[in-house]
Amino acid sequence: MKFDLIIKNGLVVFRDEVKKSDIAIRDGKISAIGENVYGNGAEIVDAEGQYVMPGMIDTHVHICEPGRTEWEGFITGSMALAAGGTTTYVDMPLNALPATTTKEALELKIKAAEGKNYVDYAFHGGLVPGNLEHLQELSDGGVVAYKCFMSTCGSDIPGDFKNVDDYTLYKGMKKLAELGHVLLIHAENASITDRLAEEKIKQGKITARDYVESRPIIAEVEAVKRALLFAKETGCKLHFVHISSAAAIEEIIKSRNEGQDVTLESCPHYFTLTVNQFEQIGPVAKCAPPLRDETEQEKLWKALKQGKIDMLTSDHSPCPPEMKHSDINNMFEVWGGITGCQNNVDLMFDEAVKKRNIPVTLFARMIATNPARRFNLKTKGEIAVSKDADIILIDPNQSYTVSKEHLYYRHKHSPYIGRTIHCRVTKTFVRGHLVYDLEKGILGEPIGQLLKGEKKEMLGV
């Protein structure tokens, strides 16, 4: 049999087991799996001592091109993703300008992305006030799902993203149920968080801890429950993004057990950073929902171990460094978003698999298999014959300290700078093409392909 590439001797992470195997690749697909696989003329990669896993599918990434390319563009963003072990990502409808809420805006996004991605990619559409009539055309254009904010977001700039009111949420869910699409929700009660923030600022309380206190867990839980109620009434499939509290997770799991089609994600920063570290690190660690305390973090780890968290995503939300600066150290003024996609896989492999003995098979399902299933990326998400050869190698015995020089982001800031991680992504293959090598860096020209969603029922995970 003739193959293009054979990855030999690695510990291959399958859906339910880890086994030393060889993987043969031909024409971008996994063609054969087994022991002692050989092929005439095939390039050989020796993965001895390393885990061979499906590449991460990061379904929560903010690439700001077009309109805010100075924040992060497709080239730098996809380079960072590739270096971090991500082989496919889904771009959020914000923070580009215009936001991806109309057919025209989606077409601008698609055109802007052509020839600039080192990994495969897809797009989410947006649900915002005034765009209900655009949901169908976004579906026709190939978005894989839709995103809305229940908390206040956006600006007065024309074309910027806006949060939904209850009417838009309800009507939008009805329409998306008809289309068979998933709605992703940023769930925080806007009235609670806005008013608490106003009170804090009036009192001159503007520290990191004050910001966190203005976005309490109850604001997340209430918004989750309200969205679940609307979805139960409308039949809309939901996916809750960046859940930060165990109480919100329990509400989601309860509704799932009662028959609702709902999934959830969380992000590495909620498992690896706390409010105390936010106070030390400063503005680069600001995000929404905010970082929680150590007690809440341990509850999140317990939920992850129990398999209650369907997937891990980065919520990579970059910005220029000046947007992370305040002359009076006012945490309400600075941009709320964490630049983190380059360290997703190795950071969480270290913390979850190595330090807490979470099965590597569960880890692979959270970063790859479950996202592929939820968003109907049929050729992605696992090591199996006929799947795309989207493969990463992880060396569990290497350690490194995150530095600015190591980052591919357009702006080299991250809350993980100075942190030592005790494993490392050494190679990233996208459809059998080596796009990142630890020794050589990013390789070749951008080969990422656009993936489009399908208008049909999608199963939960």
Side-chain angles (χ1 to χ4, degrees):
M1 183 71 73
K2 182 174 177 57
F3 302 117
D4 302 319
L5 173 71
I6 301 175
I7 301 173
K8 299 185 70 69
N9 304 319
L11 292 168
V12 180
V13 182
F14 299 103
R15 184 187 291 241
D16 297 309
E17 66 174 343
V18 179
K19 184 178 180 180
K20 193 165 187 177
S21 302
D22 299 341
I23 300 173
I25 297 163
R26 184 173 58 197
D27 297 329
K29 300 284 187 180
I30 297 172
S31 185
I33 300 172
E35 296 182 5
N36 300 315
V37 174
Y38 293 97
N40 295 330
E43 179 185 352
I44 303 297
V45 172
D46 187 357
E48 182 73 39
Q50 300 192 65
Y51 285 93
V52 181
M53 297 179 55
M56 182 171 180
I57 299 173
D58 191 345
T59 59
H60 195 149
V61 175
H62 296 271
I63 300 295
C64 310
E65 186 174 358
R68 290 188 174 116
T69 309
E70 70 275 11
W71 294 18
E72 185 86 280
F74 289 109
I75 293 175
T76 52
S78 66
M79 290 171 75
L81 287 158
T86 294
T87 51
T88 300
Y89 74 95
V90 188
D91 180 63
M92 284 289 171
L94 66 161
N95 298 309
L97 282 174
T100 314
T101 58
T102 66
K103 175 185 176 182
E104 292 75 20
L106 176 61
E107 290 173 347
L108 284 173
K109 263 281 190 185
I110 291 172
K111 184 173 180 58
E114 288 178 0
K116 295 179 181 176
N117 282 275
Y118 284 87
V119 301
D120 288 348
Y121 59 99
F123 295 113
H124 292 308
L127 172 63
V128 296
N131 89 319
L132 292 171
E133 68 275 17
H134 296 286
L135 300 181
Q136 175 75 60
E137 65 189 32
L138 286 166
S139 178
D140 294 341
V143 300
V144 299
Y146 294 74
K147 167 75 177 293
C148 74
F149 268 66
M150 295 176 75
S151 63
T152 301
C153 70
S155 68
D156 294 329
I157 299 172
D160 213 352
F161 205 81
K162 295 289 187 181
N163 50 289
V164 295
D165 49 55
D166 282 351
Y167 169 81
T168 301
L169 185 61
Y170 174 68
K171 294 287 286 187
M173 283 189 185
K174 290 187 72 173
K175 182 61 178 179
L176 294 180
E178 294 174 9
L179 295 172
H181 277 296
V182 176
L183 177 62
L184 293 82
I185 295 185
H186 178 135
E188 288 182 287
N189 181 299
S191 295
I192 293 174
T193 58
D194 290 353
R195 290 293 296 277
L196 287 178
E198 289 174 9
E199 290 177 3
K200 290 283 189 182
I201 293 168
K202 286 180 180 178
Q203 296 166 8
K205 297 180 178 180
I206 54 175
T207 67
R209 191 168 293 273
D210 292 322
Y211 168 75
V212 171
E213 290 174 353
S214 75
R215 305 183 86 98
I217 287 173
I218 186 61
E220 182 173 67
V221 173
E222 188 282 329
V224 163
K225 293 177 73 171
R226 180 158 35 106
L228 287 167
L229 177 63
F230 284 20
K232 185 176 181 180
E233 176 68 21
T234 60
C236 184
K237 297 189 289 290
L238 297 186
H239 176 74
F240 287 98
V241 300
H242 51 46
I243 291 295
S244 69
S245 66
I249 291 171
E250 292 306 317
E251 292 294 340
I252 295 164
I253 297 298
K254 177 184 175 184
S255 292
R256 182 190 298 173
N257 291 340
E258 292 173 352
Q260 285 191 244
D261 190 343
V262 57
T263 51
L264 72 108
E265 69 184 52
S266 193
C267 307
H269 41 271
Y270 296 115
F271 295 92
T272 61
L273 301 170
T274 65
V275 60
N276 288 335
Q277 289 164 299
F278 180 17
E279 289 181 305
Q280 297 167 7
I281 296 169
V284 294
K286 179 185 174 180
C287 58
L291 301 173
R292 307 297 184 185
D293 62 24
E294 288 80 359
T295 300
E296 191 61 39
Q297 188 178 79
E298 283 306 308
K299 291 178 183 178
L300 279 184
W301 275 114
K302 182 178 179 181
L304 187 143
K305 291 177 184 178
Q306 293 172 336
K308 294 180 178 179
I309 296 171
D310 299 299
M311 57 193 84
L312 293 169
T313 67
S314 67
D315 190 11
H316 177 65
S317 186
C319 70
E322 57 268 21
M323 293 179 65
K324 283 290 191 181
H325 175 76
S326 168
D327 290 335
I328 58 173
N329 206 27
N330 182 345
M331 287 299 166
F332 291 93
E333 286 183 348
V334 299
W335 175 256
I338 284 180
T339 304
C341 70
Q342 191 171 325
N343 301 110
N344 277 340
V345 176
D346 48 20
L347 175 63
M348 287 302 288
F349 188 100
D350 183 17
E351 294 292 334
V353 178
K354 292 192 68 177
K355 293 181 181 177
R356 292 172 174 82
N357 297 313
I358 289 170
V360 68
T361 49
L362 174 58
F363 179 71
R365 289 196 295 273
M366 286 189 294
I367 68 166
T369 310
N370 290 348
R373 290 185 63 198
R374 185 53 164 167
F375 298 107
N376 210 32
L377 305 174
K378 294 179 179 179
T379 64
K380 308 290 187 182
E382 60 182 311
I383 304 293
V385 171
S386 80
K387 294 287 188 180
D388 286 353
D390 295 345
I391 296 169
I392 59 174
L393 273 57
I394 297 179
D395 188 339
N397 298 312
Q398 287 202 43
S399 295
Y400 74 102
T401 300
V402 180
S403 66
K404 288 184 179 181
E405 293 73 25
H406 146 261
L407 300 174
Y408 284 95
Y409 309 135
R410 185 177 183 89
H411 303 288
K412 319 288 186 189
H413 57 79
S414 165
Y416 305 123
I417 289 174
R419 186 184 189 112
T420 299
I421 298 173
H422 300 286
C423 64
R424 196 157 201 185
V425 173
T426 63
K427 294 183 188 296
T428 301
F429 296 89
V430 176
R431 288 174 282 102
H433 299 278
L434 182 62
V435 297
Y436 171 76
D437 178 87
L438 179 58
E439 301 301 324
K440 300 176 182 177
I442 298 294
L443 299 169
E445 297 298 316
I447 62 158
Q449 294 181 353
L450 172 64
L451 309 173
K452 290 194 173 184
E454 298 180 17
K455 295 180 293 178
K456 62 180 296 182
E457 290 296 316
M458 290 176 277
L459 298 176
V461 297

